[in-house]
Short mmCIF file of all heavy atoms in Angstrom, two decimals:
data_model
loop_
_atom_site.label_atom_id
_atom_site.label_comp_id
_atom_site.label_asym_id
_atom_site.label_seq_id
_atom_site.Cartn_x
_atom_site.Cartn_y
_atom_site.Cartn_z
N VAL A 498 -7.63 18.03 -5.53
CA VAL A 498 -6.36 17.65 -4.91
C VAL A 498 -6.20 18.32 -3.55
O VAL A 498 -5.84 17.69 -2.55
CB VAL A 498 -5.18 18.01 -5.83
CG1 VAL A 498 -3.85 17.86 -5.09
CG2 VAL A 498 -5.18 17.12 -7.07
N VAL A 499 -6.49 19.62 -3.49
CA VAL A 499 -6.34 20.37 -2.24
C VAL A 499 -7.33 19.87 -1.18
O VAL A 499 -6.97 19.67 -0.01
CB VAL A 499 -6.53 21.88 -2.49
CG1 VAL A 499 -6.58 22.64 -1.17
CG2 VAL A 499 -5.41 22.41 -3.37
N LEU A 500 -8.59 19.66 -1.58
CA LEU A 500 -9.59 19.19 -0.62
C LEU A 500 -9.24 17.81 -0.07
O LEU A 500 -9.32 17.57 1.14
CB LEU A 500 -10.97 19.16 -1.28
CG LEU A 500 -11.63 20.52 -1.55
CD1 LEU A 500 -12.90 20.34 -2.39
CD2 LEU A 500 -11.96 21.22 -0.24
N LEU A 501 -8.86 16.90 -0.96
CA LEU A 501 -8.52 15.56 -0.51
C LEU A 501 -7.26 15.58 0.37
O LEU A 501 -7.19 14.89 1.40
CB LEU A 501 -8.31 14.63 -1.71
CG LEU A 501 -7.99 13.17 -1.37
CD1 LEU A 501 -9.10 12.54 -0.55
CD2 LEU A 501 -7.76 12.35 -2.66
N GLY A 502 -6.28 16.38 -0.03
CA GLY A 502 -5.06 16.49 0.77
C GLY A 502 -5.35 17.04 2.15
O GLY A 502 -4.77 16.58 3.15
N THR A 503 -6.25 18.02 2.24
CA THR A 503 -6.61 18.59 3.54
C THR A 503 -7.28 17.55 4.42
O THR A 503 -7.00 17.46 5.62
CB THR A 503 -7.55 19.80 3.34
OG1 THR A 503 -6.89 20.78 2.53
CG2 THR A 503 -7.92 20.43 4.68
N ALA A 504 -8.18 16.76 3.82
CA ALA A 504 -8.87 15.72 4.59
C ALA A 504 -7.88 14.66 5.10
O ALA A 504 -7.94 14.25 6.27
CB ALA A 504 -9.95 15.06 3.73
N VAL A 505 -6.97 14.23 4.24
CA VAL A 505 -5.98 13.23 4.65
C VAL A 505 -5.07 13.80 5.74
O VAL A 505 -4.73 13.12 6.72
CB VAL A 505 -5.15 12.76 3.44
CG1 VAL A 505 -4.00 11.85 3.88
CG2 VAL A 505 -6.04 12.02 2.44
N LEU A 506 -4.67 15.06 5.59
CA LEU A 506 -3.82 15.70 6.60
C LEU A 506 -4.52 15.76 7.95
O LEU A 506 -3.92 15.49 9.00
CB LEU A 506 -3.46 17.11 6.13
CG LEU A 506 -2.55 17.93 7.05
CD1 LEU A 506 -1.18 17.29 7.16
CD2 LEU A 506 -2.44 19.37 6.55
N ALA A 507 -5.83 16.10 7.92
CA ALA A 507 -6.59 16.20 9.17
C ALA A 507 -6.76 14.84 9.84
O ALA A 507 -6.93 14.76 11.06
CB ALA A 507 -7.96 16.83 8.90
N VAL A 508 -6.72 13.76 9.06
CA VAL A 508 -6.80 12.42 9.64
C VAL A 508 -5.45 11.97 10.19
O VAL A 508 -5.37 11.39 11.27
CB VAL A 508 -7.32 11.41 8.58
CG1 VAL A 508 -7.19 9.98 9.12
CG2 VAL A 508 -8.76 11.70 8.22
N LEU A 509 -4.38 12.26 9.46
CA LEU A 509 -3.07 11.74 9.84
C LEU A 509 -2.44 12.50 11.01
O LEU A 509 -1.79 11.90 11.87
CB LEU A 509 -2.12 11.79 8.64
CG LEU A 509 -2.33 10.75 7.54
CD1 LEU A 509 -1.38 11.01 6.38
CD2 LEU A 509 -2.13 9.35 8.08
N LEU A 510 -2.61 13.81 11.05
CA LEU A 510 -1.94 14.61 12.07
C LEU A 510 -2.28 14.19 13.51
O LEU A 510 -1.38 14.14 14.36
CB LEU A 510 -2.24 16.09 11.87
CG LEU A 510 -1.32 16.84 10.91
CD1 LEU A 510 -1.75 18.29 10.77
CD2 LEU A 510 0.14 16.77 11.36
N PRO A 511 -3.54 13.89 13.84
CA PRO A 511 -3.81 13.47 15.22
C PRO A 511 -3.04 12.22 15.64
O PRO A 511 -2.66 12.08 16.80
CB PRO A 511 -5.33 13.21 15.22
CG PRO A 511 -5.85 14.05 14.12
CD PRO A 511 -4.79 14.04 13.07
N PHE A 512 -2.81 11.31 14.69
CA PHE A 512 -2.05 10.10 15.02
C PHE A 512 -0.56 10.41 15.13
O PHE A 512 0.14 9.92 16.03
CB PHE A 512 -2.28 9.03 13.96
CG PHE A 512 -3.70 8.57 13.86
CD1 PHE A 512 -4.42 8.74 12.69
CD2 PHE A 512 -4.33 7.97 14.94
CE1 PHE A 512 -5.73 8.32 12.60
CE2 PHE A 512 -5.64 7.54 14.86
CZ PHE A 512 -6.35 7.72 13.68
N ILE A 513 -0.07 11.25 14.22
CA ILE A 513 1.36 11.58 14.23
C ILE A 513 1.73 12.38 15.47
O ILE A 513 2.79 12.19 16.08
CB ILE A 513 1.72 12.36 12.95
CG1 ILE A 513 1.60 11.42 11.72
CG2 ILE A 513 3.12 12.94 13.03
CD1 ILE A 513 1.78 12.13 10.40
N GLU A 514 0.85 13.28 15.88
CA GLU A 514 1.12 14.15 17.03
C GLU A 514 0.46 13.63 18.31
O GLU A 514 0.14 14.43 19.21
CB GLU A 514 0.63 15.57 16.72
CG GLU A 514 1.39 16.27 15.62
CD GLU A 514 2.81 16.62 16.04
OE1 GLU A 514 3.15 16.45 17.23
OE2 GLU A 514 3.58 17.06 15.17
N GLN A 515 0.27 12.34 18.39
CA GLN A 515 -0.44 11.76 19.53
C GLN A 515 0.22 12.12 20.86
O GLN A 515 -0.46 12.38 21.86
CB GLN A 515 -0.51 10.24 19.38
CG GLN A 515 -1.24 9.55 20.52
CD GLN A 515 -1.01 8.05 20.49
OE1 GLN A 515 -0.09 7.57 19.85
NE2 GLN A 515 -1.85 7.31 21.19
N ARG A 516 1.54 12.15 20.89
CA ARG A 516 2.26 12.38 22.15
C ARG A 516 2.66 13.84 22.34
O ARG A 516 3.26 14.18 23.35
CB ARG A 516 3.50 11.48 22.19
CG ARG A 516 3.18 10.00 22.10
CD ARG A 516 4.42 9.15 21.97
NE ARG A 516 5.28 9.23 23.15
CZ ARG A 516 6.48 8.67 23.22
NH1 ARG A 516 6.97 8.00 22.18
NH2 ARG A 516 7.20 8.76 24.32
N SER A 517 2.32 14.69 21.36
CA SER A 517 2.73 16.10 21.45
C SER A 517 1.55 17.05 21.63
O SER A 517 1.65 18.01 22.40
CB SER A 517 3.52 16.49 20.20
OG SER A 517 4.66 15.68 20.02
N TRP A 518 0.46 16.81 20.93
CA TRP A 518 -0.66 17.72 20.98
C TRP A 518 -1.67 17.30 22.05
O TRP A 518 -1.82 16.10 22.32
CB TRP A 518 -1.37 17.76 19.63
CG TRP A 518 -0.59 18.45 18.55
CD1 TRP A 518 0.66 19.00 18.66
CD2 TRP A 518 -1.00 18.65 17.20
NE1 TRP A 518 1.06 19.52 17.46
CE2 TRP A 518 0.05 19.32 16.54
CE3 TRP A 518 -2.14 18.32 16.49
CZ2 TRP A 518 -0.02 19.67 15.21
CZ3 TRP A 518 -2.22 18.68 15.15
CH2 TRP A 518 -1.17 19.36 14.52
N PRO A 519 -2.39 18.25 22.64
CA PRO A 519 -3.44 17.89 23.61
C PRO A 519 -4.58 17.14 22.93
O PRO A 519 -4.81 17.29 21.72
CB PRO A 519 -3.89 19.24 24.16
CG PRO A 519 -3.51 20.24 23.12
CD PRO A 519 -2.26 19.71 22.49
N LEU A 520 -5.31 16.37 23.72
CA LEU A 520 -6.36 15.52 23.18
C LEU A 520 -7.44 16.33 22.46
O LEU A 520 -7.90 15.95 21.39
CB LEU A 520 -6.98 14.70 24.31
CG LEU A 520 -8.15 13.77 23.92
CD1 LEU A 520 -7.68 12.73 22.92
CD2 LEU A 520 -8.74 13.12 25.16
N TRP A 521 -7.84 17.48 23.04
CA TRP A 521 -8.92 18.25 22.44
C TRP A 521 -8.56 18.74 21.04
O TRP A 521 -9.41 18.77 20.14
CB TRP A 521 -9.30 19.44 23.34
CG TRP A 521 -8.21 20.49 23.47
CD1 TRP A 521 -7.25 20.58 24.42
CD2 TRP A 521 -8.00 21.60 22.59
NE1 TRP A 521 -6.43 21.66 24.21
CE2 TRP A 521 -6.87 22.33 23.09
CE3 TRP A 521 -8.64 22.08 21.44
CZ2 TRP A 521 -6.39 23.47 22.48
CZ3 TRP A 521 -8.14 23.22 20.83
CH2 TRP A 521 -7.04 23.91 21.34
N LEU A 522 -7.31 19.12 20.85
CA LEU A 522 -6.87 19.60 19.55
C LEU A 522 -6.88 18.47 18.52
O LEU A 522 -7.29 18.66 17.37
CB LEU A 522 -5.47 20.21 19.66
CG LEU A 522 -4.87 20.77 18.36
CD1 LEU A 522 -5.76 21.84 17.76
CD2 LEU A 522 -3.47 21.34 18.64
N ARG A 523 -6.45 17.30 18.93
CA ARG A 523 -6.45 16.16 18.01
C ARG A 523 -7.87 15.73 17.65
O ARG A 523 -8.14 15.37 16.51
CB ARG A 523 -5.67 14.99 18.62
CG ARG A 523 -4.16 15.24 18.66
CD ARG A 523 -3.39 14.05 19.17
NE ARG A 523 -3.43 13.96 20.63
CZ ARG A 523 -3.89 12.92 21.31
NH1 ARG A 523 -4.39 11.88 20.66
NH2 ARG A 523 -3.86 12.91 22.62
N LEU A 524 -8.77 15.77 18.62
CA LEU A 524 -10.15 15.35 18.35
C LEU A 524 -10.87 16.31 17.42
O LEU A 524 -11.73 15.89 16.63
CB LEU A 524 -10.92 15.23 19.67
CG LEU A 524 -10.51 14.07 20.59
CD1 LEU A 524 -11.34 14.09 21.87
CD2 LEU A 524 -10.67 12.73 19.87
N ILE A 525 -10.53 17.60 17.48
CA ILE A 525 -11.17 18.58 16.60
C ILE A 525 -10.91 18.27 15.14
O ILE A 525 -11.77 18.51 14.26
CB ILE A 525 -10.68 20.01 16.96
CG1 ILE A 525 -11.32 20.48 18.25
CG2 ILE A 525 -10.98 21.00 15.84
CD1 ILE A 525 -10.81 21.83 18.72
N LEU A 526 -9.73 17.74 14.84
CA LEU A 526 -9.35 17.52 13.45
C LEU A 526 -10.18 16.44 12.77
O LEU A 526 -10.32 16.45 11.54
CB LEU A 526 -7.87 17.18 13.36
CG LEU A 526 -6.91 18.34 13.63
CD1 LEU A 526 -5.48 17.88 13.56
CD2 LEU A 526 -7.15 19.47 12.63
N PHE A 527 -10.74 15.50 13.51
CA PHE A 527 -11.52 14.44 12.87
C PHE A 527 -12.82 14.96 12.25
O PHE A 527 -13.13 14.62 11.10
CB PHE A 527 -11.79 13.31 13.87
CG PHE A 527 -10.56 12.50 14.19
CD1 PHE A 527 -10.01 12.51 15.46
CD2 PHE A 527 -9.93 11.75 13.22
CE1 PHE A 527 -8.87 11.78 15.76
CE2 PHE A 527 -8.79 11.00 13.49
CZ PHE A 527 -8.25 11.03 14.77
N PRO A 528 -13.62 15.79 12.95
CA PRO A 528 -14.78 16.37 12.26
C PRO A 528 -14.38 17.30 11.12
O PRO A 528 -15.10 17.39 10.11
CB PRO A 528 -15.53 17.13 13.37
CG PRO A 528 -14.59 17.24 14.50
CD PRO A 528 -13.66 16.08 14.41
N VAL A 529 -13.24 17.98 11.26
CA VAL A 529 -12.75 18.80 10.14
C VAL A 529 -12.49 17.92 8.92
O VAL A 529 -12.85 18.26 7.79
CB VAL A 529 -11.46 19.54 10.55
CG1 VAL A 529 -10.79 20.19 9.32
CG2 VAL A 529 -11.76 20.59 11.60
N ALA A 530 -11.89 16.76 9.16
CA ALA A 530 -11.63 15.82 8.07
C ALA A 530 -12.93 15.33 7.44
O ALA A 530 -13.04 15.23 6.21
CB ALA A 530 -10.81 14.63 8.59
N ALA A 531 -13.93 15.03 8.28
CA ALA A 531 -15.21 14.53 7.77
C ALA A 531 -15.90 15.57 6.89
O ALA A 531 -16.41 15.26 5.80
CB ALA A 531 -16.11 14.12 8.92
N VAL A 532 -15.93 16.83 7.36
CA VAL A 532 -16.58 17.90 6.59
C VAL A 532 -15.83 18.14 5.27
O VAL A 532 -16.44 18.28 4.20
CB VAL A 532 -16.64 19.19 7.42
CG1 VAL A 532 -17.12 20.36 6.56
CG2 VAL A 532 -17.57 19.01 8.62
N THR A 533 -14.50 18.18 5.36
CA THR A 533 -13.70 18.39 4.15
C THR A 533 -13.90 17.27 3.15
O THR A 533 -13.99 17.50 1.93
CB THR A 533 -12.21 18.51 4.51
OG1 THR A 533 -12.03 19.49 5.51
CG2 THR A 533 -11.39 18.88 3.29
N LEU A 534 -14.00 16.04 3.65
CA LEU A 534 -14.22 14.90 2.77
C LEU A 534 -15.58 14.98 2.09
O LEU A 534 -15.71 14.65 0.90
CB LEU A 534 -14.10 13.60 3.57
CG LEU A 534 -13.97 12.30 2.76
CD1 LEU A 534 -12.71 12.33 1.91
CD2 LEU A 534 -13.95 11.10 3.70
N LEU A 535 -16.60 15.44 2.82
CA LEU A 535 -17.93 15.62 2.23
C LEU A 535 -17.90 16.67 1.13
O LEU A 535 -18.47 16.48 0.05
CB LEU A 535 -18.93 16.00 3.32
CG LEU A 535 -20.36 16.31 2.84
CD1 LEU A 535 -20.97 15.09 2.15
CD2 LEU A 535 -21.23 16.77 4.00
N VAL A 536 -17.23 17.78 1.40
CA VAL A 536 -17.11 18.83 0.38
C VAL A 536 -16.37 18.29 -0.84
O VAL A 536 -16.72 18.59 -1.99
CB VAL A 536 -16.37 20.06 0.96
CG1 VAL A 536 -16.11 21.10 -0.13
CG2 VAL A 536 -17.20 20.68 2.09
N TRP A 537 -15.34 17.47 -0.59
CA TRP A 537 -14.58 16.87 -1.69
C TRP A 537 -15.46 15.98 -2.55
O TRP A 537 -15.41 16.04 -3.78
CB TRP A 537 -13.40 16.07 -1.12
CG TRP A 537 -12.65 15.28 -2.16
CD1 TRP A 537 -11.78 15.77 -3.08
CD2 TRP A 537 -12.73 13.87 -2.38
NE1 TRP A 537 -11.31 14.74 -3.87
CE2 TRP A 537 -11.87 13.57 -3.46
CE3 TRP A 537 -13.44 12.84 -1.77
CZ2 TRP A 537 -11.71 12.27 -3.94
CZ3 TRP A 537 -13.27 11.55 -2.24
CH2 TRP A 537 -12.42 11.27 -3.31
N VAL A 538 -16.29 15.16 -1.92
CA VAL A 538 -17.19 14.27 -2.67
C VAL A 538 -18.14 15.09 -3.54
O VAL A 538 -18.36 14.78 -4.72
CB VAL A 538 -17.97 13.36 -1.71
CG1 VAL A 538 -19.07 12.62 -2.46
CG2 VAL A 538 -17.03 12.35 -1.04
N LEU A 539 -18.73 16.14 -2.95
CA LEU A 539 -19.65 16.99 -3.73
C LEU A 539 -18.93 17.65 -4.90
O LEU A 539 -19.48 17.73 -6.01
CB LEU A 539 -20.26 18.05 -2.81
CG LEU A 539 -21.16 17.51 -1.67
CD1 LEU A 539 -21.61 18.66 -0.77
CD2 LEU A 539 -22.37 16.77 -2.25
#
Side-chain angles (χ1 to χ4, degrees):
V498 169
V499 172
L500 288 172
L501 182 59
T503 302
V505 173
L506 181 65
V508 171
L509 286 175
L510 273 178
F512 297 118
I513 291 173
E514 294 290 353
Q515 181 193 17
R516 300 173 64 186
S517 302
W518 289 1
L520 179 62
W521 66 268
L522 180 58
R523 289 184 280 122
L524 290 179
I525 285 176
L526 288 178
F527 289 114
V529 170
V532 172
T533 307
L534 194 61
L535 176 61
V536 174
W537 173 75
V538 170
L539 296 176

